[in-house]
Amino acid sequence: MLNEYKIAAPVGTALDRFIAKNQTQFQYATGELSQLLRDIALAGKIINREINRAGLAGIEGSFGDEPNVQGEIQQKLDVIAEIRFIRALTRGGQTCAIISEEEEDIIYTGNNDAKYIVAIDPLDGSSNIDVNVSVGTIFSIYKRKTMIGSIPDRTDVLQPGTEQVVAGYILYGSSTVLVFATQYGVNGFTYEPSLGEYFLSHPNIQIKPEGNIYSINEGNAFEFSKSTLDYLESCKKKKMTARYIGSLVADFHRNLIKGGIYIYPETIKNPNGKLRLMYECNPIAYIAQKAGGIATDGKNSILEIIPHSIHQRSPFYVGSSHLVSDAMKSLS
């Protein structure tokens, strides 16, 4: 007699089912936050499709010659990703305002009765698209401070990372993975394209306190401080492995799963750091902390920094707790 389990094995816990099951963890939520996560997941599915067909659809390469607000040349997929996410968040109705790497100021959705603010980097590492290397989306969700029904303002979007309700990223690689953190922990979901669903694949992620990987762009070494160079030398003496992709999501995801440290320090060119606090450092730091790791700017916890501008930058050290602590001792 055939084993029923073998011929029809469970496919796992779908994202929607996981969200519904855990919605009661948020006492102030009545379904809006769950819908917001679904909106982000849907946009991620669309971006996954666009990335997979980029070469055939002619949407690789740069989008014009004019730099964006960051002084960087946008890629075509940067533009596509931003349009898709803003459209999904606006039409979903649960977001009253958005801040994005690609826009100079606050994006008002017109959903003034909505409770939530979203900070997003629509496509991190987009310059890697042309060479078929992993890229990602980074996002974080805050509960608004102003009165519901009013037009949101800068007090809503400039909140410290400790105020995040959810933070996450979508990694578009050999498989597409959605990872998000709440105050209750970090979980990862892998996209199954034939079913069009994300399924729980990495429950209750915990980053190892130790690790053997350090991730840094050593091409900038001549602009590093002596203490940073000394720390890197100590990594080499311990025979740690250098791994750097150039996409924050991809580098962090590897270290989250395997254990390691990601470093983007201040340099002569960027004395205040290069990564953006609100939609890169804060969400990644929140995920790291909820997984048992540490994230600092070299002196203070990233999550406790009081932001003063949407595109504020920061040095960034994140990863396994022992590795980051050792780095801070070396740099002090």
Side-chain angles (χ1 to χ4, degrees):
M1 184 175 179
L2 286 173
N3 186 313
E4 292 180 359
Y5 187 91
K6 288 183 178 180
I7 63 171
V11 293
T13 302
L15 176 62
D16 278 357
R17 184 175 296 173
F18 180 89
I19 291 172
K21 182 179 178 180
N22 292 279
Q23 184 174 310
T24 55
Q25 292 178 344
F26 303 95
Q27 296 178 2
Y28 50 79
T30 55
E32 298 97 331
L33 184 60
S34 300
Q35 182 58 51
L36 180 48
L37 283 170
R38 293 187 187 98
D39 294 337
I40 291 171
L42 173 60
K45 294 178 186 179
I46 297 171
I47 300 307
N48 174 72
R49 181 195 66 184
E50 301 290 1
I51 289 171
N52 286 339
R53 69 188 189 95
L56 297 175
I59 50 177
E60 295 176 303
S62 60
F63 182 76
D65 299 320
E66 293 295 322
N68 64 6
V69 65
Q70 310 296 340
E72 301 166 351
I73 298 298
Q74 286 181 302
Q75 303 297 302
K76 292 175 184 176
L77 277 165
D78 281 321
V79 177
I80 292 170
E82 185 186 38
I83 290 171
R84 294 296 188 186
F85 275 102
I86 290 175
R87 187 178 291 165
L89 292 170
T90 299
R91 292 181 177 177
Q94 310 306 327
T95 307
C96 62
I98 305 165
I99 55 172
S100 167
E101 182 190 29
E102 303 297 335
E103 298 294 333
E104 184 172 358
D105 212 340
I106 302 170
I107 302 165
Y108 298 97
T109 64
N111 303 320
N112 293 336
D113 290 329
K115 295 180 180 179
Y116 297 104
I117 305 291
V118 174
I120 192 163
D121 181 350
L123 200 62
D124 169 67
S126 56
S127 60
N128 283 326
I129 286 286
D130 291 357
V131 291
N132 206 29
V133 174
S134 298
V135 294
T137 295
I138 312 173
F139 64 90
S140 62
I141 302 171
Y142 297 81
K143 195 177 180 185
R144 68 182 297 172
K145 297 292 185 182
T146 53
M147 185 181 298
I148 290 176
S150 64
I151 298 174
D153 61 27
R154 297 180 76 81
T155 62
D156 292 307
V157 301
L158 294 178
Q159 299 186 49
T162 52
E163 297 298 306
Q164 292 174 101
V165 178
V166 179
Y169 59 81
I170 304 172
L171 174 64
Y172 311 102
S174 55
S175 59
T176 294
V177 178
L178 166 63
V179 174
F180 69 85
T182 69
Q183 61 180 307
Y184 298 101
V186 183
N187 291 279
F189 300 78
T190 298
Y191 182 57
E192 214 297 347
S194 68
L195 296 175
E197 291 282 358
Y198 291 95
F199 289 94
L200 182 63
S201 54
H202 299 74
N204 192 29
I205 298 172
Q206 290 287 302
I207 187 170
K208 299 174 184 175
E210 295 283 1
N212 194 44
I213 298 170
Y214 71 97
S215 307
I216 188 170
N217 182 2
E218 292 197 70
N220 293 329
F222 286 115
E223 295 196 3
F224 292 163
S225 66
K226 183 179 183 304
S227 58
T228 300
L229 291 171
D230 288 344
Y231 174 70
L232 294 180
E233 191 63 25
S234 72
C235 291
K236 294 170 185 176
K237 287 179 180 178
K238 289 187 287 187
K239 296 185 178 180
M240 292 177 67
T241 300
R243 291 286 183 269
Y244 187 75
I245 297 171
S247 167
L248 172 59
V249 171
D251 281 308
F252 175 73
H253 183 74
R254 178 196 53 242
N255 294 354
L256 177 66
I257 300 302
K258 293 189 173 183
I261 182 172
Y262 176 93
I263 305 170
Y264 211 116
E266 65 274 20
T267 63
I268 295 172
K269 182 180 179 182
N270 296 295
N272 296 318
K274 185 177 180 182
L275 298 182
R276 273 63 57 140
L277 176 67
M278 295 304 298
Y279 37 80
E280 291 178 320
C281 300
N282 268 347
I284 295 297
Y286 188 85
I287 296 166
Q289 186 185 80
K290 297 306 178 184
I294 297 177
T296 86
D297 65 357
K299 297 178 181 177
N300 306 298
S301 168
I302 285 290
L303 298 179
E304 294 176 358
I305 296 173
I306 305 299
H308 55 75
S309 69
I310 292 172
H311 301 294
Q312 183 172 332
R313 297 176 187 249
S314 175
F316 198 38
Y317 304 80
V318 63
S320 298
S321 57
H322 292 178
L323 294 180
V324 177
S325 295
D326 288 345
M328 294 308 97
K329 292 174 184 176
S330 300
L331 296 170
S332 60

